[in-house]
Amino acid sequence: MAAITIRELTKVYPGGVRALDALDLDVADGEFFALLGPSGCGKTTLLRTVAGLESATSGTVALGGADVTRLPPGRRDVGMVFQDYALFPHMSVLDNIAYPLKIKKRGRGDRHARAAEAADYLGLEGLGKRRPGELSGGQQQRVALARALVAEPRIFLLDEPLSNLDARLRLEARTFLKRLQKELAVTTVFVTHDQAEALALADRIAVMEKGRIRQLGTPTEVFRRPANLFVASFIGSTPMNLLPGRVEGEHVVAAGALLPLPDEARALTAGEEIVCGVRPEYLDYTDRPADGAFAGRVSVVEHLGGSALVTLDVEGEPVHVVVGEGREPAPGDEGWALPRPGRVLLYRDGELVTAPRESDVPEPRMAPTGKENG
């Protein structure tokens, strides 16, 4: 296997469009790594540049310690699964899987034996003679995975591998992909715009915006401690509540609530303008007044299955709260959203000022959305 080392990588397209901007990144040997961000942030360009399908304007890409920046794709020893799977419609499943071995001029008997072994491993038994058009979306995805794996690449690159599947198949494929990567222990980088997918699968995540990495960390770190307002608003099945506020002595005032100023933020000065961030999952809804709670009126209740997302109108600001099944208020009710201790994050000039210590907070619980994020 191999680690990935990227230094000062820049990609500028004709017309001056800067898709990657002096980007540095290290992916460890055997790591399952996600590139996450909105459309146009540069994540697919980065993946294709690692694969050799795009040439770098400047900077370097090293795989396993060897500089491959100027090597063609066929000499980089990577396997890639494309968003549309890119299967050959006129070939059988086995011929599709065996194609990388054919390019490497392996004998017909050897490549078909290895293709059959890869097909069986990925649960495609009995489908070897079928054409891609005769397969379900999930089966096509597994054929694409088998084709990428059959040559035993050092690096496995996945470009939105689950985006063409419906919600049920996507969940099944996500579980399968996680197990497969752990069994093979192959260095894997996958691109997604779906933050729930990245949080579920990756060992670490790079959140990208405009060709740069805005935060790099484990799913827990990125979810609990968004480093800036961009990440805070992007990560989470429901984005973080972000409320303008100001410092008043040893407190922060935001949306009418008086919140204690954390010890870690004592450097903030009275009158300073900040943004308070708190996730809907870390607010407790109550129908009675409470000190330090956001007070408002229920405007929307969205049922999510085992929970509901309640939106309070708090001094003209929407505040979202996750409430348990059977505890949903009705639109028009008065309500209060009380932040849990240590859960309020403070941002100054768009950057995180303070965050709770990991020992102070429980594990995050993400509410199901019943739909994919896009």
Side-chain angles (χ1 to χ4, degrees):
M1 306 308 168
I4 302 172
T5 305
I6 294 169
R7 293 290 179 266
E8 293 290 319
L9 191 64
T10 298
K11 174 66 178 180
V12 182
Y13 286 108
V17 177
R18 186 173 291 266
L20 300 175
D21 191 1
L23 188 144
D24 291 335
L25 179 63
D26 292 284
V27 179
D29 185 10
E31 186 173 21
F32 201 162
F33 192 91
L35 298 173
L36 174 65
S39 297
C41 70
K43 55 189 185 296
T44 294
T45 298
L46 176 56
L47 195 78
R48 290 175 60 86
T49 305
V50 172
L53 301 175
E54 297 280 357
S55 59
T57 303
S58 61
T60 60
V61 177
L63 305 181
D67 189 340
V68 299
T69 310
R70 304 303 170 195
L71 288 183
R75 295 182 58 192
R76 297 195 182 198
D77 197 12
V78 301
M80 187 161 180
V81 175
F82 298 90
Q83 183 175 358
D84 61 359
Y85 308 142
L87 301 175
F88 298 109
H90 63 287
M91 290 185 182
S92 69
V93 165
L94 283 182
D95 283 339
N96 265 282
I97 296 173
Y99 187 76
L101 300 176
K102 183 177 180 180
I103 295 298
K104 292 186 175 184
K105 302 188 184 300
R106 300 284 181 86
R108 179 179 177 84
D110 176 51
R111 64 177 185 257
H112 272 253
R114 295 189 62 180
E117 181 180 357
D120 290 348
Y121 182 70
L122 272 75
L124 297 168
E125 302 93 336
L127 303 179
K129 294 182 179 181
R130 293 191 186 182
R131 302 285 176 86
E134 300 173 298
L135 304 178
S136 69
Q139 290 168 335
Q140 290 183 32
Q141 183 218 36
R142 293 194 181 199
V143 173
L145 289 169
R147 184 178 62 184
L149 290 171
V150 71
E152 298 180 348
R154 296 184 300 164
I155 307 289
F156 200 21
L157 305 176
L158 311 175
D159 185 9
E160 302 271 10
L162 310 181
S163 62
N164 290 328
L165 304 179
D166 62 36
R168 182 183 62 82
L169 280 177
R170 180 178 289 199
L171 181 59
E172 292 178 0
R174 196 170 76 184
T175 302
F176 172 81
L177 190 59
K178 180 79 169 179
R179 177 173 57 82
L180 179 67
Q181 196 274 338
K182 293 304 178 186
E183 288 177 357
L184 297 174
V186 62
T187 306
T188 301
V189 180
F190 78 103
V191 159
T192 182
H193 65 274
D194 185 334
Q195 48 82 28
E197 189 174 291
L199 291 171
L201 287 173
D203 297 321
R204 285 192 304 149
I205 299 170
V207 184
M208 294 185 63
E209 181 193 27
K210 297 180 180 179
R212 296 184 177 184
I213 294 174
R214 298 301 308 277
Q215 186 169 1
L216 178 65
T218 67
T220 297
E221 290 168 347
V222 172
F223 184 82
R224 286 182 177 173
R225 303 166 62 97
N228 48 67
L229 292 179
F230 170 77
V231 178
S233 63
F234 187 77
I235 293 290
S237 55
T238 302
M240 181 180 286
N241 295 300
L242 298 170
L243 305 170
R246 67 183 183 278
V247 178
E248 290 192 359
E250 296 185 352
H251 293 84
V252 172
V253 177
L258 191 64
L259 308 172
L261 184 67
D263 290 339
E264 301 94 325
R266 296 296 178 181
L268 293 174
T269 58
E272 195 164 357
E273 301 292 327
I274 48 86
V275 173
C276 291
V278 58
R279 293 204 177 279
E281 297 88 349
Y282 302 148
L283 288 168
D284 290 320
Y285 178 84
T286 175
D287 58 3
R288 298 179 181 181
D291 291 338
F294 301 109
R297 192 168 295 276
V298 176
S299 59
V300 179
V301 178
E302 301 173 65
H303 294 276
L304 307 176
S307 62
L309 182 67
V310 174
T311 302
L312 288 172
D313 183 354
V314 179
E315 296 191 348
E317 296 283 350
V319 174
H320 304 291
V321 190
V322 173
V323 302
E325 184 178 12
R327 299 181 57 244
E328 305 93 336
D333 286 354
E334 283 189 291
W336 288 260
L338 181 64
R340 296 178 188 172
R343 282 304 191 184
V344 176
L345 308 180
L346 304 182
Y347 294 87
R348 176 174 54 188
D349 298 327
E351 300 297 319
L352 181 65
V353 174
T354 182
R357 296 184 299 272
E358 295 300 315
S359 59
D360 292 341
V361 294
E363 288 296 318
R365 52 179 178 86
M366 292 189 64
T369 62
K371 59 185 178 180
E372 298 299 328
N373 296 277

